[in-house]
Amino acid sequence: MNATVNESCISCGLCADTCPAVFHMGDDGMAHGGEIPAEMLEDAKTARDGCPVGAISIEE
């Protein structure tokens, strides 16, 4: 499974704070996702659901 962050990202950092195993803030100031370890799926979904602009997608 992978998490992606689209161009709607406002660089709030909430996803990286909620699930740092999957999300990080890049040198461009934007959030970036990645592969979701099975044990982190619920945290990744919490980050997705908490995104204020709905910029996160999880591909299962």
Side-chain angles (χ1 to χ4, degrees), residues 3 6-7 14 18 21-22 28-29 32 34 40 42 46 48 52 55 57:
N6 69 35
E7 66 279 351
L14 183 62
T18 302
V22 176
D28 59 359
H32 298 274
M40 299 305 299
E42 289 307 311
T46 298
R48 175 197 63 196
S57 298

Side-chain angles (χ1 to χ4, degrees), residues 26-49:
D27 292 337
D28 59 359
M30 304 298 281
H32 298 274
E35 186 174 338
I36 305 169
E39 66 275 9
M40 299 305 299
L41 181 58
E42 289 307 311
D43 287 344
K45 287 181 177 181
T46 298
R48 175 197 63 196
D49 296 345

